Amino acid sequence: MTSTVPSRTTPHRGTTGHNAWTVALCWITVLLEGYDLVVLGAIIPVLLRTHHLGMTAGDATTIATLSLVGVAIGAVCVGPLADRLGRRLLLIGSVVLFSVFTLLVPLAGSVTMFAALRLIAGLGLGACMPVSLTMMAEHMPAERRARASTLTMTGYHTGAVITSLLALQVTDNWQILFYVLGAAGLVIAAIQWFRLPESEAFVRAKEADGAQRVPFTELLKPAYLRAGIGVWVASFMGLLLVYGLNTWLPKLMNDAGYPVPTAVTQLLILNVGGVVGLVLGGAVADRRGIKGTTLGWFAVSVVMLACLSIKMDSDLLLDVVVFFTGVFVFSAQVLVYAYVTNFYPAAVRGTALGSASGIGRIGSIVGPSITGALVTAGIGHPWGFWFFAAVAVCGFAAVLALPRGAAEATEAV
């Protein structure tokens, strides 16, 4: 059987075919992650109502936290491995890992086992997004890398919508959600094995560098340190906003005096805005520059989040503000990833993107925790939105400190 790795002499038509498979399979992989990261939140009310395994609200919180911890660890660890072993192998292995352990979740006989399975599944899940984003970026011309990142991330929100719709249909039969995800993941992994090519940029970098190991400490060298610190802080703040809003927006709206149906509807509007923002943000960044666009996106996010702290009498005005909050907040985070794929050379790109995703995942844990504490204290509105606005200011400052252009490094073209 011939290798799935495109050779340097592959004709343009073949390269286009490889690119099509890469785009489709990476997008679907991110869709699976979006599906998984929402599935637990969708079934927690059922688990608690039916007292599955004697689960309490505290147990559910622990399970959710461990899932995110697994995702963070997977995201950090996959980068150096992807830069050493290749993007293709790591992506397929990650999909298989989270799919198998997702299939086992409904079979857990205790809360401890349930949590352990979610933790291990999270390891594979966390690796999927940075590797998918890296592969997508490396299969696109440099001038289209921002669009590659943002379009890939639309899969995340698509997966979240699919989970929500399925959850409404299966009600108490929540196990179906995990079986569907696990089976779909294994099918995608099989297709990836036969149809997903290795990144040509990785192959060239490996040949040029003599297959040298790329440790995390490479990112601490003077050429990368300034960008690394800025990216880590911006990614932390960005994912804090994404997860904080997705977790607590309905509750914050309800605390502000909006009826429950209106509050829940805002979550859907927020994510629709997120999809629009991802498409728009990538196109603008490729034309106007990634750093400048990301600065603008974080700046508008500050204004939108501050506006949400004000009670609005008009439903239309509220919908518009929430929509534009989704447009700018969700894509600001992904534009940080786009900056990484553009700034770092192929030899360290996977490590850099994995570290950005992993450190950002810490923000995804901190955001809901702090917002939850504000809600518990009875000051979720308006302080929750003021807190989010302050976080967006920190993200803006971090991006402002980033160097422009790409790192000075040798990369075969």
Side-chain angles (χ1 to χ4, degrees), residues 126 241 310 325 343 350 361:
L241 291 173
I310 304 171
T325 299
F343 178 81
R361 297 293 181 178

Side-chain angles (χ1 to χ4, degrees), residues 29 97 123 125 137:
T29 302
L97 179 63
L123 295 174
L125 196 67

Side-chain angles (χ1 to χ4, degrees), residues 363-380:
S364 74
I365 300 171
V366 172
S369 299
I370 294 180
T371 313
L374 293 173
V375 170
T376 302
I379 55 174

Side-chain angles (χ1 to χ4, degrees), residues 183-198:
L186 291 178
V187 170
I188 293 304
I191 297 174
Q192 288 173 333
W193 179 261
F194 291 106
R195 305 302 304 183
L196 182 67
E198 179 58 275

Side-chain angles (χ1 to χ4, degrees), residues 334-394:
V334 181
L335 286 172
V336 175
Y337 291 158
Y339 176 88
V340 173
T341 64
N342 185 69
F343 178 81
Y344 291 91
V348 295
R349 189 175 291 136
T351 300
L353 197 50
S355 69
S357 179
I359 292 173
R361 297 293 181 178
I362 300 174
S364 74
I365 300 171
V366 172
S369 299
I370 294 180
T371 313
L374 293 173
V375 170
T376 302
I379 55 174
H381 188 277
W383 281 96
F385 291 116
W386 291 345
F387 166 64
F388 287 144
V391 168
V393 170
C394 293

Side-chain angles (χ1 to χ4, degrees), residues 304-321:
M304 293 295 103
L305 290 166
C307 287
L308 288 177
S309 67
I310 304 171
K311 178 69 165 63
M312 301 176 197
D313 295 327
S314 168
D315 287 345
L316 177 60
L317 178 60
L318 176 64
D319 291 346
V320 169
V321 173

Side-chain angles (χ1 to χ4, degrees), residues 83 87 209 214-215 218-219 224 340 344-353:
D83 283 335
R87 295 26 168 152
D209 296 339
V214 182
E218 184 76 14
L219 301 181
Y224 304 133
V340 173
Y344 291 91
V348 295
R349 189 175 291 136
T351 300
L353 197 50

Side-chain angles (χ1 to χ4, degrees), residues 17 62 111 192 261 270 300 375:
T62 299
V111 172
Q192 288 173 333
L270 183 77
V300 177
V375 170

